[in-house]
Amino acid sequence: MKSKIVLFFTIILSFLLQSTLLQKIAIGSITPNLLLILCVSMGLMRGRKSGLWTGFFSGLLVDLFYGSVFGFYALIYMYAGFFSGYAFRIYYDDDIKVPMALTAIMDLFYNLAVYGLQFFLRGRLGLFTYLYRIIIPEIFYTVFLTMIVYKFFYYINHRFMSATRKERESIWVLK
């Protein structure tokens, strides 16, 4: 129960930081996606189910405050957390290369989904312009922020959510 409360407050804090502080440090109206970093981090450190729920509630917050179609961002973040959870058992938490690579892949997936469902279906066909001006700079900015923020999420996971992790890694507890 303690880990769920800590995860809830981490989601709220990440959303507030993304909505306020990171908007102030935007470079050319490009901001890093802190909620995507959180979804990928929780998926990598805690597994598919935790990544899925983290993504769902993160996306739900974005849908409630900024979304035009309810559930769109919840679905994208949910998939990002779930698919990054596949690497839960095959990599070490303290290694930064895998979270950076998965964040780049999931940010590309996120931006292509946003382009496909919000621009392409409306008849805006400038994919290469969107790719050059929005997607690639946001990927670099988000991956750069991942190098900084991932250690903080790693500390929160191992400091406040370690009981669930030990229980999950036990050979006696079935998934």
Side-chain angles (χ1 to χ4, degrees):
M1 186 61 155
K2 178 183 169 186
S3 66
K4 291 178 183 167
I5 292 170
V6 170
L7 185 59
F8 173 74
F9 283 119
T10 306
I11 292 170
I12 296 294
L13 181 68
S14 297
F15 176 74
L16 289 174
L17 285 173
Q18 183 170 336
S19 301
T20 56
L21 184 67
L22 293 181
Q23 297 295 327
K24 298 292 182 193
I25 61 170
I27 298 174
S29 75
I30 304 296
T31 58
N33 199 338
L34 186 62
L35 288 173
L36 186 71
I37 297 170
L38 177 66
C39 295
V40 169
S41 299
M42 289 301 130
L44 285 172
M45 289 187 275
R46 301 183 55 93
R48 289 183 301 228
K49 192 188 303 185
S50 182
L52 180 129
W53 287 111
T54 303
F56 176 74
F57 288 116
S58 299
L60 199 61
L61 279 174
V62 173
D63 280 332
L64 285 173
F65 288 97
Y66 300 113
S68 58
V69 178
F70 190 71
F72 174 69
Y73 290 103
L75 189 65
I76 293 174
Y77 283 118
M78 191 171 69
Y79 279 133
F82 181 75
F83 287 133
S84 63
Y86 274 106
F88 168 63
R89 296 207 186 265
I90 58 174
Y91 104 103
Y92 297 108
D93 287 346
D94 55 350
D95 187 20
I96 193 71
K97 293 181 291 275
V98 174
M100 287 173 52
L102 271 175
T103 301
I105 291 168
M106 291 304 163
D107 200 12
L108 179 67
F109 165 73
Y110 169 83
N111 281 309
L112 287 177
V114 167
Y115 170 78
L117 295 173
Q118 290 190 350
F119 293 107
F120 185 70
L121 291 178
R122 292 184 188 170
R124 298 180 186 171
L125 302 176
L127 174 65
F128 293 109
T129 305
Y130 189 74
L131 185 73
Y132 177 73
R133 293 191 179 182
I134 306 276
I135 295 177
I136 293 174
E138 184 179 323
I139 289 173
F140 282 119
Y141 204 8
T142 303
V143 169
F144 176 73
L145 188 67
T146 302
M147 291 189 301
I148 300 166
V149 175
Y150 180 76
K151 294 294 182 184
F152 179 70
F153 291 147
Y154 176 78
Y155 174 76
I156 288 175
N157 185 46
H158 284 284
R159 176 83 169 115
F160 298 110
M161 300 184 211
S162 61
T164 306
R165 182 175 172 80
K166 289 177 189 171
E167 195 175 279
R168 188 176 294 167
E169 288 179 352
S170 172
I171 61 171
W172 302 108
V173 177
L174 298 175
K175 265 194 151 179

